[in-house]
Amino acid sequence: MSVIDVMKQTSLLDWHTLLVGLEHGWCEKKSLIDYAEAVLGQVTSEIDGDLVTLATGESCFEEDLISTGLHFLETHGQPLSEEKKFEATEKWRFAHISLLLQKESSVEEKISELQDLYAEFGFPEDMASCSIYRNDGVDPLVAARGVLEGLSKRFQ
């Protein structure tokens, strides 16, 4: 299973999430292209040129796809605001933590990866107890489950 699989299973994929994910390297451009193809297949009115570019973007550079995606969102009244970026990042954080906790790896490996996630997402306050340096008596993986539960409630 991959992070993008977690996103699909939990129905957290949308344009904003995919664009933020692609920008941060949390997904590949194929995920955005697949999503655009699915949306294009549901279009019943005039077909948008940006949507066609996104759906056929195999040969495009990632930066160009992101730019086209941002333009597409703006022209459809859904620009990637700071609020949308934050929400998308939180969805990715949920998916990463969820995947980590599901992995069949040692406790030490999970805790090490958890430290990387804590840093990658900018040391969010709700993950402070996930840090091995916090020394607050909370098991980092137990803290991660708590963070996951909190994030899950936000997306229901």
Side-chain angles (χ1 to χ4, degrees), residues 11-84:
S11 301
L12 294 178
L13 283 181
D14 59 34
W15 289 113
H16 299 98
T17 306
L18 285 164
L19 291 170
V20 168
L22 188 57
E23 184 177 27
H24 287 279
W26 299 326
C27 68
E28 297 177 0
K29 69 180 186 177
K30 178 155 178 32
S31 299
L32 180 66
I33 292 167
D34 290 347
Y35 189 82
E37 287 174 347
V39 171
L40 186 61
Q42 297 173 356
V43 172
T44 57
S45 58
E46 185 177 332
I47 296 177
D48 184 287
D50 285 337
L51 182 57
V52 171
T53 300
L54 291 167
T56 60
E58 292 286 335
S59 62
C60 294
F61 291 108
E62 285 183 9
E63 299 81 24
D64 294 336
L65 280 178
I66 292 169
S67 179
T68 301
L70 293 172
H71 184 263
F72 175 77
L73 288 175
E74 284 180 28
T75 60
H76 289 85
Q78 301 176 20
L80 185 60
S81 64
E82 288 303 313
E83 182 180 321
K84 291 286 188 185

Coordinates of all heavy atoms in Angstrom, one line a residue, residues 11-84:
S11 N -11.1 8.5 0.7 CA -11.8 9.5 -0.1 C -11.3 11.0 0.2 O -12.1 11.9 0.3 CB -13.3 9.5 0.2 OG -13.8 8.2 -0.2
L12 N -10.0 11.1 0.3 CA -9.4 12.4 0.6 C -8.8 13.1 -0.6 O -8.3 14.2 -0.5 CB -8.4 12.3 1.7 CG -8.9 11.9 3.1 CD1 -7.7 11.8 4.0 CD2 -9.9 12.9 3.6
L13 N -8.9 12.5 -1.8 CA -8.4 13.0 -3.0 C -9.3 14.1 -3.6 O -10.5 13.9 -3.7 CB -8.1 12.0 -4.0 CG -6.9 11.1 -3.8 CD1 -6.7 10.1 -5.0 CD2 -5.6 11.9 -3.7
D14 N -8.7 15.2 -3.9 CA -9.4 16.3 -4.7 C -8.3 17.0 -5.4 O -7.1 16.8 -5.2 CB -10.3 17.1 -3.8 CG -9.5 17.8 -2.6 OD1 -8.3 18.2 -2.8 OD2 -10.1 18.0 -1.6
W15 N -8.7 18.0 -6.2 CA -7.7 18.8 -6.9 C -6.7 19.4 -6.0 O -5.5 19.4 -6.3 CB -8.4 19.9 -7.7 CG -9.2 19.4 -8.9 CD1 -10.6 19.4 -9.1 CD2 -8.7 18.8 -10.1 NE1 -10.9 18.9 -10.3 CE2 -9.8 18.5 -10.9 CE3 -7.4 18.5 -10.5 CZ2 -9.7 17.9 -12.2 CZ3 -7.3 17.8 -11.8 CH2 -8.4 17.6 -12.6
H16 N -7.1 20.1 -5.0 CA -6.2 20.8 -4.1 C -5.2 19.8 -3.5 O -4.0 20.1 -3.4 CB -7.0 21.5 -3.0 CG -7.9 22.6 -3.5 ND1 -9.3 22.3 -3.7 CD2 -7.7 23.8 -4.0 CE1 -9.9 23.4 -4.2 NE2 -8.9 24.3 -4.4
T17 N -5.7 18.7 -3.0 CA -4.9 17.7 -2.3 C -3.8 17.2 -3.3 O -2.6 17.0 -3.0 CB -5.7 16.6 -1.7 OG1 -6.7 17.2 -0.9 CG2 -4.9 15.7 -0.9
L18 N -4.2 16.9 -4.5 CA -3.3 16.4 -5.5 C -2.2 17.4 -5.9 O -1.1 17.1 -6.0 CB -4.0 15.9 -6.7 CG -4.8 14.5 -6.5 CD1 -5.8 14.3 -7.6 CD2 -3.8 13.4 -6.5
L19 N -2.6 18.6 -6.1 CA -1.7 19.7 -6.4 C -0.7 19.9 -5.3 O 0.5 20.0 -5.6 CB -2.4 21.0 -6.8 CG -3.2 20.9 -8.1 CD1 -4.1 22.1 -8.3 CD2 -2.2 20.7 -9.3
V20 N -1.1 20.0 -4.1 CA -0.2 20.1 -3.0 C 0.7 18.9 -2.8 O 1.9 19.0 -2.6 CB -1.0 20.4 -1.6 CG1 -0.1 20.3 -0.4 CG2 -1.7 21.8 -1.7
G21 N 0.1 17.7 -3.0 CA 0.9 16.5 -3.0 C 2.0 16.4 -4.0 O 3.1 16.0 -3.8
L22 N 1.6 16.8 -5.2 CA 2.6 16.8 -6.3 C 3.7 17.8 -6.1 O 4.9 17.5 -6.3 CB 1.9 17.1 -7.6 CG 2.7 16.9 -8.9 CD1 3.3 15.5 -9.0 CD2 1.8 17.3 -10.2
E23 N 3.3 19.0 -5.6 CA 4.3 20.0 -5.3 C 5.3 19.6 -4.2 O 6.5 19.9 -4.3 CB 3.6 21.3 -4.8 CG 4.5 22.5 -4.6 CD 3.7 23.7 -4.2 OE1 2.6 23.6 -3.7 OE2 4.2 24.8 -4.5
H24 N 4.8 18.8 -3.2 CA 5.7 18.4 -2.2 C 6.4 17.0 -2.4 O 7.1 16.5 -1.6 CB 4.9 18.3 -0.8 CG 4.6 19.7 -0.3 ND1 5.5 20.4 0.4 CD2 3.5 20.4 -0.4 CE1 5.0 21.5 0.8 NE2 3.8 21.6 0.3
G25 N 6.0 16.4 -3.5 CA 6.6 15.1 -3.8 C 5.9 13.9 -3.1 O 6.5 12.8 -3.0
W26 N 4.7 14.1 -2.6 CA 4.0 13.1 -1.9 C 3.2 12.2 -2.8 O 2.6 11.2 -2.4 CB 3.0 13.7 -0.8 CG 3.8 14.5 0.2 CD1 5.0 14.2 0.7 CD2 3.3 15.7 0.9 NE1 5.3 15.1 1.7 CE2 4.3 16.0 1.8 CE3 2.2 16.4 0.8 CZ2 4.2 17.1 2.6 CZ3 2.1 17.5 1.7 CH2 3.1 17.9 2.6
C27 N 3.1 12.6 -4.1 CA 2.4 11.8 -5.1 C 3.1 12.1 -6.4 O 3.9 13.0 -6.5 CB 0.9 12.1 -5.2 SG 0.4 13.7 -5.8
E28 N 2.8 11.2 -7.4 CA 3.4 11.4 -8.7 C 2.4 12.1 -9.6 O 1.2 12.1 -9.4 CB 3.8 10.0 -9.2 CG 4.9 9.3 -8.4 CD 5.2 8.0 -8.9 OE1 4.6 7.5 -9.9 OE2 6.1 7.3 -8.2
K29 N 2.9 12.6 -10.7 CA 2.0 13.3 -11.7 C 1.0 12.3 -12.2 O -0.1 12.7 -12.6 CB 2.8 14.0 -12.8 CG 3.5 13.1 -13.8 CD 4.2 14.0 -14.8 CE 4.8 13.1 -15.9 NZ 5.4 13.9 -16.9
K30 N 1.2 11.0 -12.3 CA 0.3 10.1 -12.7 C -1.0 10.1 -11.9 O -2.1 9.9 -12.4 CB 0.9 8.6 -12.7 CG -0.1 7.6 -13.2 CD 0.5 6.4 -13.7 CE -0.5 5.3 -14.1 NZ -1.8 5.6 -14.6
S31 N -0.9 10.4 -10.6 CA -2.1 10.4 -9.8 C -3.0 11.6 -10.2 O -4.2 11.5 -10.2 CB -1.7 10.6 -8.3 OG -0.9 9.5 -7.9
L32 N -2.4 12.7 -10.5 CA -3.1 13.9 -11.0 C -3.7 13.6 -12.3 O -4.9 14.0 -12.6 CB -2.2 15.1 -11.0 CG -2.8 16.4 -11.5 CD1 -3.9 16.9 -10.5 CD2 -1.8 17.5 -11.7
I33 N -3.0 13.0 -13.2 CA -3.5 12.7 -14.5 C -4.6 11.7 -14.4 O -5.7 11.9 -15.1 CB -2.3 12.1 -15.4 CG1 -1.3 13.2 -15.7 CG2 -2.9 11.5 -16.7 CD1 0.0 12.7 -16.3
D34 N -4.5 10.7 -13.6 CA -5.6 9.7 -13.4 C -6.9 10.4 -12.9 O -8.0 10.1 -13.4 CB -5.2 8.6 -12.5 CG -4.2 7.7 -13.1 OD1 -3.9 7.7 -14.3 OD2 -3.6 6.9 -12.3
Y35 N -6.7 11.3 -12.0 CA -7.8 12.0 -11.4 C -8.5 12.9 -12.5 O -9.7 12.9 -12.6 CB -7.4 12.9 -10.2 CG -8.5 13.5 -9.4 CD1 -9.2 12.8 -8.5 CD2 -8.9 14.8 -9.7 CE1 -10.2 13.4 -7.7 CE2 -9.9 15.4 -8.9 CZ -10.5 14.7 -8.0 OH -11.6 15.3 -7.3
A36 N -7.6 13.6 -13.3 CA -8.2 14.4 -14.3 C -8.9 13.6 -15.4 O -9.9 14.0 -15.9 CB -7.0 15.2 -15.0
E37 N -8.4 12.4 -15.7 CA -9.0 11.6 -16.7 C -10.4 11.2 -16.2 O -11.4 11.1 -16.9 CB -8.2 10.3 -16.9 CG -7.0 10.5 -17.8 CD -6.1 9.3 -17.9 OE1 -6.3 8.3 -17.1 OE2 -5.2 9.3 -18.7
A38 N -10.5 10.9 -14.9 CA -11.8 10.5 -14.3 C -12.8 11.6 -14.3 O -14.0 11.5 -14.7 CB -11.6 10.0 -12.8
V39 N -12.3 12.8 -14.0 CA -13.2 14.0 -14.1 C -13.6 14.3 -15.5 O -14.8 14.6 -15.8 CB -12.5 15.3 -13.5 CG1 -13.2 16.5 -13.7 CG2 -12.2 15.0 -12.0
L40 N -12.6 14.2 -16.4 CA -12.9 14.4 -17.9 C -14.0 13.4 -18.4 O -14.9 13.8 -19.1 CB -11.7 14.3 -18.7 CG -11.8 14.6 -20.2 CD1 -12.2 16.1 -20.4 CD2 -10.4 14.4 -20.8
G41 N -14.0 12.2 -17.9 CA -14.9 11.2 -18.3 C -16.3 11.5 -17.8 O -17.3 10.9 -18.3
Q42 N -16.5 12.4 -16.8 CA -17.8 12.7 -16.3 C -18.3 14.0 -16.8 O -19.4 14.4 -16.5 CB -17.7 12.8 -14.7 CG -17.3 11.5 -14.1 CD -17.1 11.7 -12.6 OE1 -17.1 12.8 -12.0 NE2 -16.8 10.6 -11.9
V43 N -17.5 14.7 -17.6 CA -18.0 16.0 -18.1 C -19.1 15.9 -19.1 O -19.0 15.1 -20.0 CB -16.8 16.8 -18.8 CG1 -17.2 18.0 -19.5 CG2 -15.7 17.1 -17.8
T44 N -20.2 16.6 -18.9 CA -21.3 16.6 -19.8 C -21.5 17.9 -20.6 O -22.4 17.9 -21.4 CB -22.6 16.2 -19.0 OG1 -22.8 17.2 -18.0 CG2 -22.5 14.9 -18.4
S45 N -20.7 18.9 -20.2 CA -20.9 20.2 -20.9 C -19.6 20.4 -21.7 O -18.9 19.5 -22.1 CB -21.1 21.3 -19.9 OG -20.0 21.3 -19.0
E46 N -19.3 21.7 -22.0 CA -18.1 22.0 -22.8 C -16.9 21.6 -22.1 O -16.7 21.7 -20.8 CB -18.1 23.5 -23.0 CG -17.0 24.0 -23.9 CD -17.0 25.5 -24.1 OE1 -18.1 26.1 -24.0 OE2 -15.9 26.1 -24.3
I47 N -16.0 21.0 -22.8 CA -14.7 20.5 -22.2 C -13.7 21.6 -22.1 O -13.4 22.4 -23.0 CB -14.1 19.3 -23.1 CG1 -15.1 18.2 -23.1 CG2 -12.8 18.9 -22.5 CD1 -14.7 17.0 -23.9
D48 N -13.2 21.7 -20.9 CA -12.2 22.7 -20.5 C -10.8 22.3 -21.0 O -10.3 21.2 -20.8 CB -12.2 22.9 -19.0 CG -11.3 23.9 -18.5 OD1 -10.0 23.7 -18.5 OD2 -11.8 25.0 -18.0
G49 N -10.1 23.3 -21.7 CA -8.8 23.0 -22.2 C -7.8 22.6 -21.2 O -6.9 21.8 -21.4
D50 N -7.8 23.3 -20.0 CA -6.9 22.9 -18.9 C -7.1 21.5 -18.4 O -6.2 20.8 -18.1 CB -7.1 23.9 -17.7 CG -6.5 25.3 -17.9 OD1 -5.6 25.4 -18.8 OD2 -7.0 26.2 -17.3
L51 N -8.4 21.1 -18.4 CA -8.7 19.7 -18.0 C -8.1 18.7 -19.0 O -7.6 17.7 -18.6 CB -10.2 19.5 -17.8 CG -10.7 18.2 -17.3 CD1 -10.0 17.8 -16.0 CD2 -12.2 18.2 -17.2
V52 N -8.2 19.0 -20.2 CA -7.7 18.1 -21.3 C -6.2 18.1 -21.1 O -5.6 17.0 -21.2 CB -8.1 18.6 -22.7 CG1 -7.3 17.8 -23.7 CG2 -9.6 18.5 -22.9
T53 N -5.5 19.2 -20.8 CA -4.1 19.2 -20.6 C -3.7 18.4 -19.4 O -2.7 17.6 -19.5 CB -3.6 20.7 -20.4 OG1 -3.9 21.4 -21.6 CG2 -2.1 20.7 -20.2
L54 N -4.5 18.5 -18.4 CA -4.2 17.7 -17.2 C -4.4 16.2 -17.4 O -3.6 15.4 -17.0 CB -5.1 18.1 -16.0 CG -4.8 19.5 -15.5 CD1 -5.9 20.0 -14.5 CD2 -3.4 19.6 -14.7
A55 N -5.4 15.9 -18.1 CA -5.7 14.4 -18.4 C -4.7 13.8 -19.4 O -4.6 12.6 -19.4 CB -7.1 14.3 -18.9
T56 N -4.1 14.6 -20.2 CA -3.1 14.1 -21.2 C -1.7 14.5 -20.9 O -0.9 14.6 -21.8 CB -3.5 14.5 -22.6 OG1 -3.5 16.0 -22.7 CG2 -4.9 14.0 -23.0
G57 N -1.4 14.8 -19.6 CA -0.2 15.4 -19.3 C 1.0 14.5 -19.1 O 2.0 14.9 -18.4
E58 N 1.0 13.3 -19.6 CA 2.2 12.4 -19.4 C 3.5 13.0 -19.8 O 4.5 12.8 -19.1 CB 2.0 11.2 -20.3 CG 0.8 10.3 -19.8 CD 1.1 9.5 -18.5 OE1 2.3 9.2 -18.2 OE2 0.2 9.2 -17.8
S59 N 3.5 13.8 -20.9 CA 4.8 14.4 -21.3 C 5.1 15.7 -20.7 O 6.1 16.3 -21.0 CB 4.8 14.4 -22.9 OG 3.8 15.3 -23.3
C60 N 4.2 16.3 -19.9 CA 4.4 17.6 -19.3 C 5.3 17.5 -18.1 O 5.4 16.4 -17.4 CB 3.1 18.2 -18.8 SG 1.9 18.6 -20.1
F61 N 6.0 18.5 -17.8 CA 6.8 18.6 -16.6 C 5.8 18.8 -15.4 O 4.7 19.4 -15.6 CB 7.8 19.8 -16.6 CG 8.9 19.7 -17.6 CD1 8.9 20.4 -18.8 CD2 9.9 18.7 -17.4 CE1 9.9 20.3 -19.7 CE2 10.9 18.6 -18.3 CZ 11.0 19.4 -19.5
E62 N 6.2 18.3 -14.2 CA 5.4 18.5 -13.1 C 5.0 19.9 -12.8 O 3.8 20.2 -12.5 CB 6.1 17.9 -11.8 CG 6.1 16.4 -11.8 CD 6.7 15.8 -10.6 OE1 7.0 16.5 -9.6 OE2 6.9 14.5 -10.6
E63 N 5.9 20.8 -12.9 CA 5.7 22.2 -12.7 C 4.6 22.8 -13.6 O 3.8 23.6 -13.2 CB 7.0 23.1 -12.8 CG 8.1 22.7 -11.9 CD 8.9 21.5 -12.3 OE1 8.9 21.2 -13.5 OE2 9.5 20.8 -11.4
D64 N 4.6 22.3 -14.9 CA 3.6 22.8 -15.8 C 2.2 22.2 -15.5 O 1.2 22.9 -15.6 CB 4.0 22.3 -17.2 CG 5.3 23.0 -17.7 OD1 5.6 24.1 -17.2 OD2 5.9 22.5 -18.6
L65 N 2.2 21.0 -15.0 CA 0.9 20.4 -14.6 C 0.4 21.1 -13.4 O -0.8 21.4 -13.3 CB 1.1 18.9 -14.3 CG 1.1 17.9 -15.5 CD1 1.3 16.5 -15.0 CD2 -0.2 18.0 -16.3
I66 N 1.2 21.4 -12.4 CA 0.8 22.2 -11.3 C 0.2 23.5 -11.7 O -0.8 23.9 -11.2 CB 1.9 22.3 -10.2 CG1 2.3 20.9 -9.6 CG2 1.6 23.3 -9.1 CD1 3.5 20.9 -8.8
S67 N 1.0 24.2 -12.5 CA 0.5 25.5 -13.0 C -0.8 25.4 -13.7 O -1.7 26.2 -13.5 CB 1.6 26.1 -13.9 OG 1.2 27.3 -14.4
T68 N -1.0 24.4 -14.6 CA -2.2 24.2 -15.3 C -3.4 23.9 -14.3 O -4.5 24.4 -14.4 CB -2.1 23.1 -16.3 OG1 -1.0 23.5 -17.3 CG2 -3.4 22.9 -17.1
G69 N -3.1 23.1 -13.3 CA -4.0 22.7 -12.3 C -4.5 23.9 -11.5 O -5.7 24.1 -11.2
L70 N -3.6 24.8 -11.1 CA -3.9 26.0 -10.4 C -4.8 26.9 -11.2 O -5.7 27.5 -10.8 CB -2.6 26.7 -10.0 CG -1.8 26.0 -8.9 CD1 -0.4 26.7 -8.7 CD2 -2.6 25.9 -7.6
H71 N -4.4 27.0 -12.5 CA -5.2 27.9 -13.4 C -6.6 27.3 -13.6 O -7.6 28.0 -13.6 CB -4.5 28.0 -14.8 CG -5.3 28.9 -15.7 ND1 -6.1 28.4 -16.7 CD2 -5.2 30.3 -15.8 CE1 -6.6 29.5 -17.4 NE2 -6.1 30.6 -16.9
F72 N -6.7 26.0 -13.7 CA -8.0 25.3 -13.8 C -8.9 25.6 -12.6 O -10.0 26.0 -12.7 CB -7.8 23.8 -14.0 CG -9.0 23.0 -14.0 CD1 -9.9 22.9 -15.1 CD2 -9.4 22.3 -12.8 CE1 -11.0 22.1 -15.1 CE2 -10.6 21.5 -12.8 CZ -11.4 21.4 -13.9
L73 N -8.3 25.5 -11.4 CA -9.0 25.8 -10.2 C -9.5 27.2 -10.1 O -10.6 27.5 -9.7 CB -8.2 25.4 -8.9 CG -8.0 24.0 -8.7 CD1 -7.0 23.7 -7.5 CD2 -9.3 23.2 -8.4
E74 N -8.6 28.2 -10.5 CA -9.0 29.6 -10.5 C -10.1 29.9 -11.4 O -11.0 30.6 -11.0 CB -7.7 30.4 -10.8 CG -6.8 30.5 -9.7 CD -5.5 31.4 -10.0 OE1 -5.7 32.3 -10.9 OE2 -4.5 31.1 -9.5
T75 N -10.1 29.3 -12.6 CA -11.1 29.6 -13.6 C -12.5 29.0 -13.2 O -13.5 29.4 -13.7 CB -10.8 29.1 -15.0 OG1 -10.5 27.7 -15.0 CG2 -9.5 29.9 -15.5
H76 N -12.4 28.0 -12.3 CA -13.6 27.4 -11.8 C -14.0 27.8 -10.4 O -14.8 27.2 -9.7 CB -13.5 25.9 -11.8 CG -13.5 25.4 -13.2 ND1 -12.4 25.3 -14.0 CD2 -14.6 24.9 -14.0 CE1 -12.7 24.9 -15.2 NE2 -14.0 24.6 -15.2
G77 N -13.4 29.0 -9.9 CA -13.8 29.6 -8.7 C -13.3 28.9 -7.4 O -13.9 29.0 -6.4
Q78 N -12.3 28.0 -7.6 CA -11.8 27.3 -6.4 C -10.3 27.5 -6.3 O -9.5 26.5 -6.2 CB -12.1 25.8 -6.6 CG -13.5 25.5 -6.7 CD -13.7 24.0 -7.0 OE1 -12.9 23.2 -6.8 NE2 -14.9 23.6 -7.6
P79 N -9.8 28.7 -6.2 CA -8.3 28.9 -6.1 C -7.7 28.2 -4.9 O -8.4 27.9 -3.9 CB -8.2 30.4 -6.0 CG -9.5 30.9 -5.5 CD -10.5 29.9 -6.0
L80 N -6.4 27.9 -5.0 CA -5.7 27.2 -3.9 C -5.3 28.2 -2.9 O -4.2 28.8 -2.9 CB -4.5 26.5 -4.5 CG -3.7 25.6 -3.5 CD1 -4.6 24.5 -2.9 CD2 -2.5 25.0 -4.2
S81 N -6.2 28.5 -2.0 CA -6.0 29.5 -0.9 C -5.1 28.9 0.1 O -4.8 27.7 0.1 CB -7.3 29.9 -0.3 OG -7.9 28.8 0.3
E82 N -4.6 29.7 1.0 CA -3.8 29.2 2.2 C -4.6 28.2 3.0 O -4.1 27.2 3.5 CB -3.3 30.4 3.0 CG -2.3 31.2 2.4 CD -1.0 30.4 2.0 OE1 -0.5 29.6 2.8 OE2 -0.6 30.6 0.8
E83 N -5.9 28.5 3.2 CA -6.8 27.6 3.9 C -6.8 26.2 3.2 O -6.8 25.2 3.8 CB -8.2 28.2 4.0 CG -9.1 27.3 4.8 CD -10.5 28.0 4.9 OE1 -10.6 29.2 5.1 OE2 -11.5 27.2 4.8
K84 N -7.0 26.2 1.9 CA -7.1 25.0 1.1 C -5.7 24.2 1.2 O -5.7 23.0 1.2 CB -7.5 25.2 -0.3 CG -8.9 25.7 -0.5 CD -9.8 24.6 -0.3 CE -11.3 25.0 -0.6 NZ -12.2 23.9 -0.3

